[in-house]
Amino acid sequence: MSTPTVESAANVLADPTAYADEPRLHAALGHLRSHAPVAWVDRPPYRPFWAITKHADIMEIERANNLWINEPRPLLATAALDDLTQAQQQAGMAPRTLVHMDDPLHRVVRAIGADWFRPKAMRDLKVRVDELAKIHVDKMRDAGNECDFVQEIAVNYPLYVIMSLLGLPESDFPRMLKLTQEVFGGDDDEYKRGTTPEEQVSVLLDFFAYFTDLTESRRRHPTEDLASAIANARIDGEPLSPVDAVGYYAIIATAGHDTTMRGAPIAAGESVYLAYVSGNRDEEVFDDPFRFDVGRDPNKHLAFGYGVHFCLGAALARMEVKSFFAELLPRLKSIEVTAPPELAATTFVGGLKHLPIRYELWN
């Protein structure tokens, strides 16, 4: 693989297919960390942005939430999709999530669901999480000795946990999974719904319709679940607007002045892209950063973000992983990958989409 230039390396960040090609992605990110940790990216159909690839710089920006704000461009999307989404939000027809908000509104809205993710709530939920972990390891047993771990286990187990927390009926879980994959995989040929911005925004409108009905139902008939807490929450005596209520469900179900960094002048209104996947491979922070080390300590990874936008459900995610492996490992005799893993092509929320494995369980 030839050595990239700064421009070609930066442009990789605006190419959804690069996120499904880890060697290509990490070669580009490594080059940027070494030669241009604050790099200008100008690659249509995306609007230009600054790419931030060093761990320390990402944390510095996350800390300064009074200077660096999320609105109006909280994620990397094409200019056409940016415009359409903003128009839909202004018309009250598309959800606005915690990721779209800044303080002081973000702080107040985040507090609505915070108690549901505190230690006491996690202890109360653990019985259900452990039960679901056993159900999904049993599914591995019942599948024989091979499965696509992502599609059959890894996407369904946390989905069942969070849907149980929201109090949604199990019959709706497949619909939520499909909508989530369409939202996050808008650039991926396997997941995306259509190719036009209008077709992609229709996914958000489906979210809006589903959760608007849920809000109305929980306001008429409150129950003891997170969905009711969101539907009946009040800010300054007023219930959440339909857009903000739906945005809260969506983020649960699926997270200026002129200034410089490293000498690069960044003007008010210009966008910065925080490359967490790069910060988590920063050689200045992690020894041998590409080695999988389950016992790495300290492990200053940024997978849950940092600062005021730190993942609201981080404690739940950690508990899910712990419960699943506590159930799986004592029953696991052997395991191996049977085909190359496949990752999603996306500039939004990426990760594995297929992981074929062969295994033996003791029972």
Side-chain angles (χ1 to χ4, degrees), residues 33 70 225 331 336:
R33 286 195 301 274
N70 280 21
D225 53 38
R331 300 171 60 178
E336 61 180 340

Side-chain angles (χ1 to χ4, degrees), residues 231-251:
N232 294 287
R234 290 183 172 269
I235 297 177
D236 296 330
E238 297 294 327
L240 291 178
S241 69
V243 168
D244 290 341
V246 171
Y248 216 126
Y249 294 128
I251 198 67

Side-chain angles (χ1 to χ4, degrees), residues 252-274:
I252 295 294
T254 47
H257 299 272
D258 286 357
T259 187
T260 61
M261 293 169 41
R262 295 182 185 260
I266 300 177
E270 291 182 336
S271 299
V272 296
Y273 172 96
L274 304 185

Side-chain angles (χ1 to χ4, degrees), residues 191-257:
Y191 287 155
K192 67 184 179 184
R193 180 191 295 186
T195 57
T196 67
E198 290 78 11
E199 288 172 310
Q200 293 177 359
V201 166
S202 70
V203 180
L204 298 179
L205 299 181
D206 283 353
F207 260 115
F208 190 86
Y210 178 89
F211 285 117
T212 296
D213 289 344
L214 178 66
T215 299
E216 294 173 354
S217 173
R218 290 299 196 270
R219 285 176 177 170
R220 290 193 306 267
H221 306 290
T223 52
E224 297 296 323
D225 53 38
L226 179 54
S228 285
I230 295 169
N232 294 287
R234 290 183 172 269
I235 297 177
D236 296 330
E238 297 294 327
L240 291 178
S241 69
V243 168
D244 290 341
V246 171
Y248 216 126
Y249 294 128
I251 198 67
I252 295 294
T254 47
H257 299 272

Side-chain angles (χ1 to χ4, degrees), residues 73-346:
R73 192 186 181 192
L75 55 92
L76 182 60
T78 64
L81 187 56
D82 272 341
D83 292 341
L84 187 56
T85 302
Q86 289 178 27
Q88 294 283 1
Q89 287 175 338
Q90 291 167 2
M93 294 299 295
R96 182 176 64 160
T97 74
L98 286 171
V99 173
H100 296 79
M101 298 177 185
D102 298 294
D103 283 344
L105 179 62
H106 171 267
R107 180 174 60 254
V108 176
V109 175
R110 181 184 171 98
I112 291 169
D115 285 347
W116 289 80
F117 298 94
R118 297 195 195 281
K120 182 183 184 303
M122 292 299 96
R123 290 193 295 270
D124 294 341
L125 186 60
K126 190 174 187 306
V127 172
R128 176 60 174 160
V129 173
D130 289 345
E131 177 185 67
L132 288 168
K134 184 178 187 308
I135 287 171
H136 284 83
V137 175
D138 287 346
K139 285 185 177 180
M140 291 177 64
R141 177 200 62 200
D142 297 341
N145 66 345
E146 292 190 9
C147 74
D148 183 335
F149 185 77
V150 173
Q151 292 297 319
E152 298 176 48
I153 306 297
V155 297
N156 289 293
Y157 167 56
L159 175 74
Y160 271 64
V161 172
I162 204 66
M163 295 297 103
S164 298
L165 186 64
L166 280 168
L168 302 188
E170 190 168 333
S171 59
D172 288 354
F173 289 8
R175 181 182 180 188
M176 283 297 101
L177 175 60
K178 180 173 176 57
L179 285 173
T180 301
Q181 290 176 332
E182 289 176 332
V183 168
F184 291 158
D187 296 305
D188 189 272
D189 289 338
E190 183 176 347
Y191 287 155
K192 67 184 179 184
R193 180 191 295 186
T195 57
T196 67
E198 290 78 11
E199 288 172 310
Q200 293 177 359
V201 166
S202 70
V203 180
L204 298 179
L205 299 181
D206 283 353
F207 260 115
F208 190 86
Y210 178 89
F211 285 117
T212 296
D213 289 344
L214 178 66
T215 299
E216 294 173 354
S217 173
R218 290 299 196 270
R219 285 176 177 170
R220 290 193 306 267
H221 306 290
T223 52
E224 297 296 323
D225 53 38
L226 179 54
S228 285
I230 295 169
N232 294 287
R234 290 183 172 269
I235 297 177
D236 296 330
E238 297 294 327
L240 291 178
S241 69
V243 168
D244 290 341
V246 171
Y248 216 126
Y249 294 128
I251 198 67
I252 295 294
T254 47
H257 299 272
D258 286 357
T259 187
T260 61
M261 293 169 41
R262 295 182 185 260
I266 300 177
E270 291 182 336
S271 299
V272 296
Y273 172 96
L274 304 185
Y276 296 104
V277 67
S278 177
N280 285 338
R281 301 294 190 278
D282 192 332
E283 300 82 355
E284 292 183 2
V285 178
F286 302 99
D287 294 330
D288 198 2
F290 288 90
R291 176 171 55 89
F292 175 68
D293 181 1
V294 71
R296 190 183 293 274
D297 185 29
N299 189 353
K300 299 179 180 179
H301 72 80
L302 297 169
F304 292 123
Y306 189 72
V308 298
H309 286 279
F310 184 78
C311 177
L312 184 62
L316 177 59
R318 292 187 179 108
M319 185 171 72
E320 289 173 356
V321 172
K322 184 176 181 179
S323 292
F324 185 80
F325 282 108
E327 179 66 31
L328 175 65
L329 294 180
R331 300 171 60 178
L332 186 64
K333 186 176 181 180
S334 64
I335 189 168
E336 61 180 340
V337 176
T338 58
E342 293 182 44
L343 290 91
T346 177

